Amino acid sequence: MAMLDRDRRRTAAADRADPDPAADPAQDAVIQVSDLRMRYGGTDVLKGVSFTAHRGEVLTLLGPNGAGKSTTIEILEGFRTRSGGQVRVLGTDPATGDEHWRARLGVVLQSWRDHGRWRVEELLSYLARFYGPYSSPRRRRPRPVAELLETVGLTAHAGSRVNTLSGGQRRRLDVAIGIVGNPEVLFLDEPTAGFDPEARRDFHDIVHGLADEDTTVLLTTHDLDEAEKLADRILIMAGGRIVAEGTAEGLAAQVPADAEVKWTRDGRRFVHSTSDATGFLRGLLAEHGDAVADLEVRRASLEDAYMSLVHRHESGSAEQAALEFAEEIR
Amino acid sequence: MTATTLLAVGSGLRRGWTEFRHSLTSREDLIGYLGIVVLFTGMSTFMRGESVRGTDIPIANMWLAGIVGFLVASTAITTVAQGLAVDREDGTLLRAKAVPHGVTAYLIGKAVYVVCVAMASVVLLLIPAFVFFDGFGVYQPTDWITLAWVPVLGLLSLAPIGAILGSLISNPRATMGLVMLPFMGIMAISGVFYQVTGFPEWLQGLAQVFPLYWIALGMRSVFLPDSMLAIEIGQSWRLGEAALVMGVWAAVGFVVAAAVLRRMARRESGSRMEAGRRRAMQRA
């Protein structure tokens, strides 16, 4: 799979060099969400979600199933009407977004199985045409189809019928369709579900390439590893709220510094939990010296904290899990 | 018309034609098209030699005329309803929503597709009918004109019903049952295969409320000689009334269908589709 090629990058660079008259600081906030609420059949699915995404930023909504990630993204896409709160995507309320607004977005959903009888290139060219009238010197629309097929690694399948593609190839096509209009904002709902590790890495390259072109990317995932690799910023969602927010490093630093020290002495295993691992080790070694073996020190990681959040969330106490996680990470 | 609307119309035409091409190369669809032709031609052949009572017109010829009407009506209702239900479930409609002017192109594409399917079904039936059935044909220039406008207006009068059903039915596999049963009921009273003049008057009146009666009547006027008028209501082909009834259905249907389609399209979202998919998997 090729990266977005060099000409395209030069175009993007030239576009950046050409100052955008609309590029004032307020415009820089591509997605603004404040106190977003969603009530559905008597239950609150979203209980006041607020965040902002800036131009060229890759933002991840990370959380267990049922946390409210997909609902949030669907409201931003304009596919769902919210119950309350303020939402702006590219300065427009998605509930009233027109076709011109729509042309500036890219959408990749979880479970598309459409257009099975169409051939890959046929479908991509058909959908590409819609974006032609919205082209500008700064944003060429649509992307050239052949080049895009190369980018997502489907050139060899250009003539294949969509329903003969494997699950991973199908998702690549979905991603290609999502970016064929050269969107300013791209929404991806669980984009790498069903990808093998190589496809996943290729996909990560595509996303980083898009961010270099000033595309804002909002994606959902329940996979922390993916969020860490992709996102400039991670929003952890649980129970309809954002319970933590920051860069991967920032979130990791927020996790309590308790460390687990394991060692063996005279054939017996010991485990000790401490907030001052270095001090504890100094004492341990001073006291027992050479008798200490198999020493292992493990800081509680973001992963540990996240896994326990997911576990509690799925065992039914979403609300409780969200609160505890928020408490823990503070 | 702005450039973008023009592009949406162009894309819709292209979309409809592409889907029709796919349909012609799909084995299941071809079996569907040809199966109906073989079935009805066979049925008509079976009735060879029998004449409509009181006339010298073969029953087969009257049937064939009715079958043309039936093909137009069933395409308008079942193809549209089934197509919409499937497109909602697999995400085709949501894809259209995600693209600027995509829904406009989608609906135009669906209309083009349905017209092509109806034309193909009718032509496939007419070719063997013209060749194998004596006296079955189009003899007057005015009959050609009727053959051109009655099916089109018939499609327009019934397609909105198909669209409404397709918007309301959430399980595509239930479409056939939910749509075909009432359709068969109306077909039974609409004189597609036999004269309604033998029915009680209230039933005749009811039949004339629905477009199917008028589509079939229009087709009989094309393919049967005027000597058959003796057994029609009012001893006339009543094409003006046919146009009026179908026109009213088309006009009212489009207004209602537009509202239902808008509401359905607005409600369509990824999670609804996902929920539908889960339900479908549970049933499977």
Side-chain angles (χ1 to χ4, degrees), chain A residues 74 80 99 102 109 111-115 117-118 122 126 129 174, chain B residues 14-15 19 21-22 26 29 90-91 94-95 101 270-271 274:
Chain A
E74 284 181 357
R80 261 176 178 236
E99 303 295 324
R102 172 69 56 204
L109 294 183
S111 54
W112 259 328
R113 293 164 295 131
D114 58 310
H115 291 92
R117 285 175 173 181
W118 291 57
E122 182 179 52
Y126 165 74
R129 270 166 52 111
D174 284 338
Chain B
R14 176 171 157 182
R15 174 179 184 84
E19 298 244 279
R21 248 185 333 108
H22 292 158
S26 141
D29 286 15
D90 72 10
L94 202 51
R95 179 82 74 192
H101 293 287
S271 43
E274 182 65 25

PDB file of all heavy atoms in Angstrom, chain A residues 74 80 99 102 109 111-115 117-118 122 126 129 174, chain B residues 14-15 19 21-22 26 29 90-91 94-95 101 270-271 274:
ATOM      1  N   GLU A  74     -22.538   9.662  15.424  1.00  0.00           N
ATOM      2  CA  GLU A  74     -23.693   9.768  14.521  1.00  0.00           C
ATOM      3  C   GLU A  74     -24.365  11.131  14.617  1.00  0.00           C
ATOM      4  O   GLU A  74     -24.879  11.645  13.630  1.00  0.00           O
ATOM      5  CB  GLU A  74     -24.709   8.665  14.828  1.00  0.00           C
ATOM      6  CG  GLU A  74     -24.263   7.317  14.288  1.00  0.00           C
ATOM      7  CD  GLU A  74     -25.265   6.224  14.552  1.00  0.00           C
ATOM      8  OE1 GLU A  74     -26.292   6.497  15.207  1.00  0.00           O
ATOM      9  OE2 GLU A  74     -25.020   5.100  14.098  1.00  0.00           O
ATOM     10  N   ARG A  80     -28.254  11.648  13.316  1.00  0.00           N
ATOM     11  CA  ARG A  80     -29.125  11.500  14.459  1.00  0.00           C
ATOM     12  C   ARG A  80     -29.398  12.848  15.063  1.00  0.00           C
ATOM     13  O   ARG A  80     -28.521  13.706  15.073  1.00  0.00           O
ATOM     14  CB  ARG A  80     -28.444  10.664  15.534  1.00  0.00           C
ATOM     15  CG  ARG A  80     -28.897   9.279  15.497  1.00  0.00           C
ATOM     16  CD  ARG A  80     -28.110   8.506  16.509  1.00  0.00           C
ATOM     17  NE  ARG A  80     -28.620   7.171  16.469  1.00  0.00           N
ATOM     18  CZ  ARG A  80     -29.099   6.523  17.512  1.00  0.00           C
ATOM     19  NH1 ARG A  80     -29.066   7.070  18.701  1.00  0.00           N
ATOM     20  NH2 ARG A  80     -29.584   5.337  17.379  1.00  0.00           N
ATOM     21  N   GLU A  99     -26.152  20.383   1.822  1.00  0.00           N
ATOM     22  CA  GLU A  99     -25.343  19.495   0.985  1.00  0.00           C
ATOM     23  C   GLU A  99     -23.911  20.003   0.856  1.00  0.00           C
ATOM     24  O   GLU A  99     -22.976  19.223   0.719  1.00  0.00           O
ATOM     25  CB  GLU A  99     -25.973  19.346  -0.406  1.00  0.00           C
ATOM     26  CG  GLU A  99     -27.410  18.824  -0.392  1.00  0.00           C
ATOM     27  CD  GLU A  99     -27.543  17.402   0.133  1.00  0.00           C
ATOM     28  OE1 GLU A  99     -26.650  16.578  -0.123  1.00  0.00           O
ATOM     29  OE2 GLU A  99     -28.540  17.118   0.818  1.00  0.00           O
ATOM     30  N   ARG A 102     -22.207  18.850   3.837  1.00  0.00           N
ATOM     31  CA  ARG A 102     -22.058  17.400   3.700  1.00  0.00           C
ATOM     32  C   ARG A 102     -20.845  17.051   2.839  1.00  0.00           C
ATOM     33  O   ARG A 102     -20.138  16.071   3.096  1.00  0.00           O
ATOM     34  CB  ARG A 102     -23.374  16.862   3.105  1.00  0.00           C
ATOM     35  CG  ARG A 102     -23.443  15.442   2.699  1.00  0.00           C
ATOM     36  CD  ARG A 102     -23.420  14.434   3.800  1.00  0.00           C
ATOM     37  NE  ARG A 102     -24.452  14.584   4.814  1.00  0.00           N
ATOM     38  CZ  ARG A 102     -24.324  14.119   6.062  1.00  0.00           C
ATOM     39  NH1 ARG A 102     -23.223  13.491   6.443  1.00  0.00           N
ATOM     40  NH2 ARG A 102     -25.282  14.275   6.939  1.00  0.00           N
ATOM     41  N   LEU A 109     -18.765   4.075   8.330  1.00  0.00           N
ATOM     42  CA  LEU A 109     -19.598   3.461   9.374  1.00  0.00           C
ATOM     43  C   LEU A 109     -19.131   2.058   9.704  1.00  0.00           C
ATOM     44  O   LEU A 109     -18.281   1.488   9.039  1.00  0.00           O
ATOM     45  CB  LEU A 109     -21.042   3.378   8.894  1.00  0.00           C
ATOM     46  CG  LEU A 109     -21.789   4.672   8.670  1.00  0.00           C
ATOM     47  CD1 LEU A 109     -23.193   4.345   8.276  1.00  0.00           C
ATOM     48  CD2 LEU A 109     -21.782   5.510   9.917  1.00  0.00           C
ATOM     49  N   SER A 111     -20.957  -0.942   9.759  1.00  0.00           N
ATOM     50  CA  SER A 111     -21.428  -2.185   9.141  1.00  0.00           C
ATOM     51  C   SER A 111     -22.045  -1.980   7.771  1.00  0.00           C
ATOM     52  O   SER A 111     -23.163  -2.358   7.525  1.00  0.00           O
ATOM     53  CB  SER A 111     -22.445  -2.855  10.055  1.00  0.00           C
ATOM     54  OG  SER A 111     -23.471  -1.940  10.367  1.00  0.00           O
ATOM     55  N   TRP A 112     -21.295  -1.374   6.876  1.00  0.00           N
ATOM     56  CA  TRP A 112     -21.804  -1.217   5.527  1.00  0.00           C
ATOM     57  C   TRP A 112     -21.626  -2.510   4.741  1.00  0.00           C
ATOM     58  O   TRP A 112     -20.561  -3.094   4.723  1.00  0.00           O
ATOM     59  CB  TRP A 112     -21.045  -0.093   4.832  1.00  0.00           C
ATOM     60  CG  TRP A 112     -21.796   1.189   4.802  1.00  0.00           C
ATOM     61  CD1 TRP A 112     -23.147   1.331   4.726  1.00  0.00           C
ATOM     62  CD2 TRP A 112     -21.260   2.507   4.842  1.00  0.00           C
ATOM     63  NE1 TRP A 112     -23.478   2.665   4.702  1.00  0.00           N
ATOM     64  CE2 TRP A 112     -22.344   3.400   4.765  1.00  0.00           C
ATOM     65  CE3 TRP A 112     -19.981   3.005   4.914  1.00  0.00           C
ATOM     66  CZ2 TRP A 112     -22.178   4.781   4.766  1.00  0.00           C
ATOM     67  CZ3 TRP A 112     -19.813   4.371   4.915  1.00  0.00           C
ATOM     68  CH2 TRP A 112     -20.900   5.250   4.845  1.00  0.00           C
ATOM     69  N   ARG A 113     -22.669  -2.941   4.074  1.00  0.00           N
ATOM     70  CA  ARG A 113     -22.560  -4.109   3.196  1.00  0.00           C
ATOM     71  C   ARG A 113     -23.226  -3.786   1.857  1.00  0.00           C
ATOM     72  O   ARG A 113     -23.735  -4.650   1.173  1.00  0.00           O
ATOM     73  CB  ARG A 113     -23.263  -5.316   3.832  1.00  0.00           C
ATOM     74  CG  ARG A 113     -22.585  -5.835   5.087  1.00  0.00           C
ATOM     75  CD  ARG A 113     -23.509  -6.741   5.847  1.00  0.00           C
ATOM     76  NE  ARG A 113     -24.657  -5.982   6.326  1.00  0.00           N
ATOM     77  CZ  ARG A 113     -25.908  -6.367   6.179  1.00  0.00           C
ATOM     78  NH1 ARG A 113     -26.195  -7.481   5.579  1.00  0.00           N
ATOM     79  NH2 ARG A 113     -26.890  -5.613   6.646  1.00  0.00           N
ATOM     80  N   ASP A 114     -23.267  -2.496   1.537  1.00  0.00           N
ATOM     81  CA  ASP A 114     -24.053  -2.042   0.382  1.00  0.00           C
ATOM     82  C   ASP A 114     -23.339  -2.258  -0.949  1.00  0.00           C
ATOM     83  O   ASP A 114     -22.154  -2.558  -0.983  1.00  0.00           O
ATOM     84  CB  ASP A 114     -24.348  -0.555   0.544  1.00  0.00           C
ATOM     85  CG  ASP A 114     -23.056   0.240   0.671  1.00  0.00           C
ATOM     86  OD1 ASP A 114     -22.218  -0.162   1.495  1.00  0.00           O
ATOM     87  OD2 ASP A 114     -22.873   1.223  -0.048  1.00  0.00           O
ATOM     88  N   HIS A 115     -24.091  -2.073  -2.034  1.00  0.00           N
ATOM     89  CA  HIS A 115     -23.569  -2.073  -3.390  1.00  0.00           C
ATOM     90  C   HIS A 115     -22.767  -3.332  -3.714  1.00  0.00           C
ATOM     91  O   HIS A 115     -21.739  -3.261  -4.382  1.00  0.00           O
ATOM     92  CB  HIS A 115     -22.692  -0.830  -3.628  1.00  0.00           C
ATOM     93  CG  HIS A 115     -23.473   0.451  -3.642  1.00  0.00           C
ATOM     94  ND1 HIS A 115     -23.665   1.216  -2.510  1.00  0.00           N
ATOM     95  CD2 HIS A 115     -24.129   1.093  -4.633  1.00  0.00           C
ATOM     96  CE1 HIS A 115     -24.395   2.269  -2.817  1.00  0.00           C
ATOM     97  NE2 HIS A 115     -24.716   2.217  -4.087  1.00  0.00           N
ATOM     98  N   ARG A 117     -23.196  -5.675  -5.756  1.00  0.00           N
ATOM     99  CA  ARG A 117     -23.066  -6.070  -7.156  1.00  0.00           C
ATOM    100  C   ARG A 117     -22.162  -5.137  -7.948  1.00  0.00           C
ATOM    101  O   ARG A 117     -21.832  -5.423  -9.084  1.00  0.00           O
ATOM    102  CB  ARG A 117     -24.436  -6.069  -7.824  1.00  0.00           C
ATOM    103  CG  ARG A 117     -25.313  -7.240  -7.436  1.00  0.00           C
ATOM    104  CD  ARG A 117     -26.676  -7.050  -8.058  1.00  0.00           C
ATOM    105  NE  ARG A 117     -27.520  -8.204  -7.863  1.00  0.00           N
ATOM    106  CZ  ARG A 117     -28.759  -8.273  -8.344  1.00  0.00           C
ATOM    107  NH1 ARG A 117     -29.259  -7.253  -9.022  1.00  0.00           N
ATOM    108  NH2 ARG A 117     -29.484  -9.344  -8.139  1.00  0.00           N
ATOM    109  N   TRP A 118     -21.815  -3.995  -7.355  1.00  0.00           N
ATOM    110  CA  TRP A 118     -20.986  -3.030  -8.093  1.00  0.00           C
ATOM    111  C   TRP A 118     -19.539  -3.482  -8.070  1.00  0.00           C
ATOM    112  O   TRP A 118     -19.100  -4.173  -7.160  1.00  0.00           O
ATOM    113  CB  TRP A 118     -21.105  -1.642  -7.465  1.00  0.00           C
ATOM    114  CG  TRP A 118     -22.428  -1.002  -7.632  1.00  0.00           C
ATOM    115  CD1 TRP A 118     -23.631  -1.520  -7.236  1.00  0.00           C
ATOM    116  CD2 TRP A 118     -22.715   0.260  -8.238  1.00  0.00           C
ATOM    117  NE1 TRP A 118     -24.645  -0.644  -7.559  1.00  0.00           N
ATOM    118  CE2 TRP A 118     -24.111   0.456  -8.171  1.00  0.00           C
ATOM    119  CE3 TRP A 118     -21.930   1.251  -8.824  1.00  0.00           C
ATOM    120  CZ2 TRP A 118     -24.731   1.602  -8.670  1.00  0.00           C
ATOM    121  CZ3 TRP A 118     -22.546   2.403  -9.316  1.00  0.00           C
ATOM    122  CH2 TRP A 118     -23.935   2.567  -9.243  1.00  0.00           C
ATOM    123  N   GLU A 122     -15.954   0.999 -10.214  1.00  0.00           N
ATOM    124  CA  GLU A 122     -17.230   1.542 -10.674  1.00  0.00           C
ATOM    125  C   GLU A 122     -17.913   2.323  -9.551  1.00  0.00           C
ATOM    126  O   GLU A 122     -18.363   3.457  -9.727  1.00  0.00           O
ATOM    127  CB  GLU A 122     -18.091   0.353 -11.112  1.00  0.00           C
ATOM    128  CG  GLU A 122     -19.449   0.642 -11.668  1.00  0.00           C
ATOM    129  CD  GLU A 122     -20.158  -0.665 -12.080  1.00  0.00           C
ATOM    130  OE1 GLU A 122     -20.239  -1.611 -11.255  1.00  0.00           O
ATOM    131  OE2 GLU A 122     -20.596  -0.745 -13.219  1.00  0.00           O
ATOM    132  N   TYR A 126     -18.309   6.357  -9.249  1.00  0.00           N
ATOM    133  CA  TYR A 126     -19.686   6.875  -9.164  1.00  0.00           C
ATOM    134  C   TYR A 126     -19.809   7.846  -7.984  1.00  0.00           C
ATOM    135  O   TYR A 126     -20.348   8.941  -8.123  1.00  0.00           O
ATOM    136  CB  TYR A 126     -20.672   5.716  -9.009  1.00  0.00           C
ATOM    137  CG  TYR A 126     -22.053   6.143  -8.549  1.00  0.00           C
ATOM    138  CD1 TYR A 126     -22.928   6.789  -9.421  1.00  0.00           C
ATOM    139  CD2 TYR A 126     -22.473   5.926  -7.239  1.00  0.00           C
ATOM    140  CE1 TYR A 126     -24.176   7.200  -9.010  1.00  0.00           C
ATOM    141  CE2 TYR A 126     -23.723   6.335  -6.811  1.00  0.00           C
ATOM    142  CZ  TYR A 126     -24.570   6.968  -7.691  1.00  0.00           C
ATOM    143  OH  TYR A 126     -25.800   7.389  -7.275  1.00  0.00           O
ATOM    144  N   ARG A 129     -17.843  11.378  -8.262  1.00  0.00           N
ATOM    145  CA  ARG A 129     -18.425  12.444  -9.091  1.00  0.00           C
ATOM    146  C   ARG A 129     -19.198  13.492  -8.292  1.00  0.00           C
ATOM    147  O   ARG A 129     -19.242  14.648  -8.660  1.00  0.00           O
ATOM    148  CB  ARG A 129     -19.381  11.830 -10.113  1.00  0.00           C
ATOM    149  CG  ARG A 129     -18.736  11.448 -11.410  1.00  0.00           C
ATOM    150  CD  ARG A 129     -19.678  10.546 -12.185  1.00  0.00           C
ATOM    151  NE  ARG A 129     -21.004  11.134 -12.305  1.00  0.00           N
ATOM    152  CZ  ARG A 129     -21.530  11.582 -13.442  1.00  0.00           C
ATOM    153  NH1 ARG A 129     -20.823  11.521 -14.542  1.00  0.00           N
ATOM    154  NH2 ARG A 129     -22.748  12.080 -13.483  1.00  0.00           N
ATOM    155  N   ASP A 174     -14.399   0.965   2.144  1.00  0.00           N
ATOM    156  CA  ASP A 174     -15.184   1.932   2.915  1.00  0.00           C
ATOM    157  C   ASP A 174     -14.347   3.163   3.255  1.00  0.00           C
ATOM    158  O   ASP A 174     -14.824   4.293   3.176  1.00  0.00           O
ATOM    159  CB  ASP A 174     -15.687   1.293   4.229  1.00  0.00           C
ATOM    160  CG  ASP A 174     -16.854   0.361   3.988  1.00  0.00           C
ATOM    161  OD1 ASP A 174     -17.525   0.505   2.951  1.00  0.00           O
ATOM    162  OD2 ASP A 174     -17.090  -0.505   4.838  1.00  0.00           O
TER     163      ASP A 174
ATOM    164  N   ARG B  14     -27.301   7.462 -14.284  1.00  0.00           N
ATOM    165  CA  ARG B  14     -26.195   6.517 -14.402  1.00  0.00           C
ATOM    166  C   ARG B  14     -26.361   5.372 -13.402  1.00  0.00           C
ATOM    167  O   ARG B  14     -26.148   4.210 -13.700  1.00  0.00           O
ATOM    168  CB  ARG B  14     -24.898   7.288 -14.129  1.00  0.00           C
ATOM    169  CG  ARG B  14     -23.659   6.436 -14.115  1.00  0.00           C
ATOM    170  CD  ARG B  14     -22.449   7.321 -14.054  1.00  0.00           C
ATOM    171  NE  ARG B  14     -21.294   6.616 -13.515  1.00  0.00           N
ATOM    172  CZ  ARG B  14     -20.111   7.187 -13.332  1.00  0.00           C
ATOM    173  NH1 ARG B  14     -19.944   8.444 -13.647  1.00  0.00           N
ATOM    174  NH2 ARG B  14     -19.101   6.508 -12.844  1.00  0.00           N
ATOM    175  N   ARG B  15     -26.792   5.755 -12.189  1.00  0.00           N
ATOM    176  CA  ARG B  15     -26.974   4.771 -11.132  1.00  0.00           C
ATOM    177  C   ARG B  15     -28.048   3.744 -11.509  1.00  0.00           C
ATOM    178  O   ARG B  15     -27.842   2.534 -11.382  1.00  0.00           O
ATOM    179  CB  ARG B  15     -27.402   5.504  -9.853  1.00  0.00           C
ATOM    180  CG  ARG B  15     -27.745   4.587  -8.759  1.00  0.00           C
ATOM    181  CD  ARG B  15     -28.152   5.275  -7.479  1.00  0.00           C
ATOM    182  NE  ARG B  15     -28.343   4.217  -6.540  1.00  0.00           N
ATOM    183  CZ  ARG B  15     -27.372   3.668  -5.852  1.00  0.00           C
ATOM    184  NH1 ARG B  15     -26.174   4.165  -5.903  1.00  0.00           N
ATOM    185  NH2 ARG B  15     -27.598   2.643  -5.080  1.00  0.00           N
ATOM    186  N   GLU B  19     -27.438  -0.247 -12.125  1.00  0.00           N
ATOM    187  CA  GLU B  19     -28.125  -1.280 -11.333  1.00  0.00           C
ATOM    188  C   GLU B  19     -28.887  -2.237 -12.250  1.00  0.00           C
ATOM    189  O   GLU B  19     -28.937  -3.439 -11.995  1.00  0.00           O
ATOM    190  CB  GLU B  19     -29.100  -0.621 -10.353  1.00  0.00           C
ATOM    191  CG  GLU B  19     -28.394   0.280  -9.361  1.00  0.00           C
ATOM    192  CD  GLU B  19     -28.530  -0.217  -7.936  1.00  0.00           C
ATOM    193  OE1 GLU B  19     -29.574   0.037  -7.345  1.00  0.00           O
ATOM    194  OE2 GLU B  19     -27.584  -0.863  -7.443  1.00  0.00           O
ATOM    195  N   ARG B  21     -28.119  -2.945 -15.351  1.00  0.00           N
ATOM    196  CA  ARG B  21     -27.110  -3.802 -15.997  1.00  0.00           C
ATOM    197  C   ARG B  21     -26.703  -4.931 -15.050  1.00  0.00           C
ATOM    198  O   ARG B  21     -26.606  -6.081 -15.451  1.00  0.00           O
ATOM    199  CB  ARG B  21     -25.881  -2.951 -16.340  1.00  0.00           C
ATOM    200  CG  ARG B  21     -25.680  -2.779 -17.816  1.00  0.00           C
ATOM    201  CD  ARG B  21     -24.397  -2.051 -18.188  1.00  0.00           C
ATOM    202  NE  ARG B  21     -23.858  -1.133 -17.222  1.00  0.00           N
ATOM    203  CZ  ARG B  21     -22.755  -1.348 -16.508  1.00  0.00           C
ATOM    204  NH1 ARG B  21     -22.094  -2.472 -16.654  1.00  0.00           N
ATOM    205  NH2 ARG B  21     -22.314  -0.448 -15.666  1.00  0.00           N
ATOM    206  N   HIS B  22     -26.478  -4.598 -13.778  1.00  0.00           N
ATOM    207  CA  HIS B  22     -26.116  -5.626 -12.794  1.00  0.00           C
ATOM    208  C   HIS B  22     -27.217  -6.667 -12.687  1.00  0.00           C
ATOM    209  O   HIS B  22     -26.955  -7.858 -12.558  1.00  0.00           O
ATOM    210  CB  HIS B  22     -25.878  -4.991 -11.424  1.00  0.00           C
ATOM    211  CG  HIS B  22     -24.667  -4.123 -11.375  1.00  0.00           C
ATOM    212  ND1 HIS B  22     -24.501  -3.144 -10.430  1.00  0.00           N
ATOM    213  CD2 HIS B  22     -23.576  -4.083 -12.159  1.00  0.00           C
ATOM    214  CE1 HIS B  22     -23.341  -2.544 -10.640  1.00  0.00           C
ATOM    215  NE2 HIS B  22     -22.780  -3.085 -11.681  1.00  0.00           N
ATOM    216  N   SER B  26     -27.248 -10.865 -13.302  1.00  0.00           N
ATOM    217  CA  SER B  26     -27.374 -11.661 -12.079  1.00  0.00           C
ATOM    218  C   SER B  26     -28.257 -12.870 -12.355  1.00  0.00           C
ATOM    219  O   SER B  26     -29.342 -12.743 -12.918  1.00  0.00           O
ATOM    220  CB  SER B  26     -27.982 -10.802 -10.976  1.00  0.00           C
ATOM    221  OG  SER B  26     -28.886 -11.550 -10.209  1.00  0.00           O
ATOM    222  N   ASP B  29     -31.795 -12.785 -10.725  1.00  0.00           N
ATOM    223  CA  ASP B  29     -32.712 -11.837 -11.353  1.00  0.00           C
ATOM    224  C   ASP B  29     -33.188 -12.343 -12.704  1.00  0.00           C
ATOM    225  O   ASP B  29     -34.361 -12.229 -13.052  1.00  0.00           O
ATOM    226  CB  ASP B  29     -32.040 -10.476 -11.515  1.00  0.00           C
ATOM    227  CG  ASP B  29     -31.921  -9.756 -10.177  1.00  0.00           C
ATOM    228  OD1 ASP B  29     -32.090 -10.423  -9.143  1.00  0.00           O
ATOM    229  OD2 ASP B  29     -31.677  -8.545 -10.175  1.00  0.00           O
ATOM    230  N   ASP B  90     -28.881  -2.877   4.158  1.00  0.00           N
ATOM    231  CA  ASP B  90     -27.455  -3.092   3.897  1.00  0.00           C
ATOM    232  C   ASP B  90     -26.638  -1.793   3.869  1.00  0.00           C
ATOM    233  O   ASP B  90     -25.425  -1.828   3.718  1.00  0.00           O
ATOM    234  CB  ASP B  90     -27.256  -3.916   2.619  1.00  0.00           C
ATOM    235  CG  ASP B  90     -27.566  -3.136   1.347  1.00  0.00           C
ATOM    236  OD1 ASP B  90     -27.743  -1.909   1.423  1.00  0.00           O
ATOM    237  OD2 ASP B  90     -27.632  -3.759   0.284  1.00  0.00           O
ATOM    238  N   GLY B  91     -27.310  -0.644   4.019  1.00  0.00           N
ATOM    239  CA  GLY B  91     -26.558   0.602   4.131  1.00  0.00           C
ATOM    240  C   GLY B  91     -26.471   1.400   2.836  1.00  0.00           C
ATOM    241  O   GLY B  91     -25.838   2.447   2.805  1.00  0.00           O
ATOM    242  N   LEU B  94     -27.958   4.754   3.493  1.00  0.00           N
ATOM    243  CA  LEU B  94     -27.116   5.559   4.376  1.00  0.00           C
ATOM    244  C   LEU B  94     -25.908   6.095   3.597  1.00  0.00           C
ATOM    245  O   LEU B  94     -25.466   7.222   3.804  1.00  0.00           O
ATOM    246  CB  LEU B  94     -26.668   4.693   5.549  1.00  0.00           C
ATOM    247  CG  LEU B  94     -26.248   5.425   6.799  1.00  0.00           C
ATOM    248  CD1 LEU B  94     -27.296   6.424   7.231  1.00  0.00           C
ATOM    249  CD2 LEU B  94     -26.006   4.412   7.912  1.00  0.00           C
ATOM    250  N   ARG B  95     -25.402   5.279   2.703  1.00  0.00           N
ATOM    251  CA  ARG B  95     -24.295   5.715   1.846  1.00  0.00           C
ATOM    252  C   ARG B  95     -24.738   6.930   1.039  1.00  0.00           C
ATOM    253  O   ARG B  95     -24.000   7.908   0.902  1.00  0.00           O
ATOM    254  CB  ARG B  95     -23.899   4.568   0.910  1.00  0.00           C
ATOM    255  CG  ARG B  95     -22.788   4.888  -0.026  1.00  0.00           C
ATOM    256  CD  ARG B  95     -21.442   4.744   0.608  1.00  0.00           C
ATOM    257  NE  ARG B  95     -21.068   3.356   0.783  1.00  0.00           N
ATOM    258  CZ  ARG B  95     -20.039   2.965   1.531  1.00  0.00           C
ATOM    259  NH1 ARG B  95     -19.320   3.844   2.171  1.00  0.00           N
ATOM    260  NH2 ARG B  95     -19.753   1.706   1.655  1.00  0.00           N
ATOM    261  N   HIS B 101     -26.090  15.462  -2.142  1.00  0.00           N
ATOM    262  CA  HIS B 101     -27.144  15.189  -3.134  1.00  0.00           C
ATOM    263  C   HIS B 101     -27.279  13.703  -3.444  1.00  0.00           C
ATOM    264  O   HIS B 101     -27.857  13.322  -4.462  1.00  0.00           O
ATOM    265  CB  HIS B 101     -26.900  15.970  -4.434  1.00  0.00           C
ATOM    266  CG  HIS B 101     -27.037  17.454  -4.263  1.00  0.00           C
ATOM    267  ND1 HIS B 101     -28.255  18.071  -4.091  1.00  0.00           N
ATOM    268  CD2 HIS B 101     -26.115  18.430  -4.185  1.00  0.00           C
ATOM    269  CE1 HIS B 101     -28.060  19.357  -3.940  1.00  0.00           C
ATOM    270  NE2 HIS B 101     -26.769  19.612  -3.970  1.00  0.00           N
ATOM    271  N   GLY B 270     -26.345   4.592  11.367  1.00  0.00           N
ATOM    272  CA  GLY B 270     -25.525   3.398  11.473  1.00  0.00           C
ATOM    273  C   GLY B 270     -25.996   2.447  12.555  1.00  0.00           C
ATOM    274  O   GLY B 270     -26.046   1.241  12.355  1.00  0.00           O
ATOM    275  N   SER B 271     -26.403   2.998  13.696  1.00  0.00           N
ATOM    276  CA  SER B 271     -26.759   2.090  14.786  1.00  0.00           C
ATOM    277  C   SER B 271     -28.099   1.410  14.531  1.00  0.00           C
ATOM    278  O   SER B 271     -28.312   0.275  14.926  1.00  0.00           O
ATOM    279  CB  SER B 271     -26.760   2.825  16.127  1.00  0.00           C
ATOM    280  OG  SER B 271     -27.368   4.067  16.007  1.00  0.00           O
ATOM    281  N   GLU B 274     -27.193  -1.330  12.265  1.00  0.00           N
ATOM    282  CA  GLU B 274     -26.513  -2.363  13.025  1.00  0.00           C
ATOM    283  C   GLU B 274     -27.541  -3.188  13.810  1.00  0.00           C
ATOM    284  O   GLU B 274     -27.481  -4.414  13.843  1.00  0.00           O
ATOM    285  CB  GLU B 274     -25.503  -1.703  13.982  1.00  0.00           C
ATOM    286  CG  GLU B 274     -24.675  -2.646  14.818  1.00  0.00           C
ATOM    287  CD  GLU B 274     -23.740  -3.519  13.988  1.00  0.00           C
ATOM    288  OE1 GLU B 274     -23.387  -3.105  12.865  1.00  0.00           O
ATOM    289  OE2 GLU B 274     -23.401  -4.622  14.455  1.00  0.00           O
TER     290      GLU B 274
END
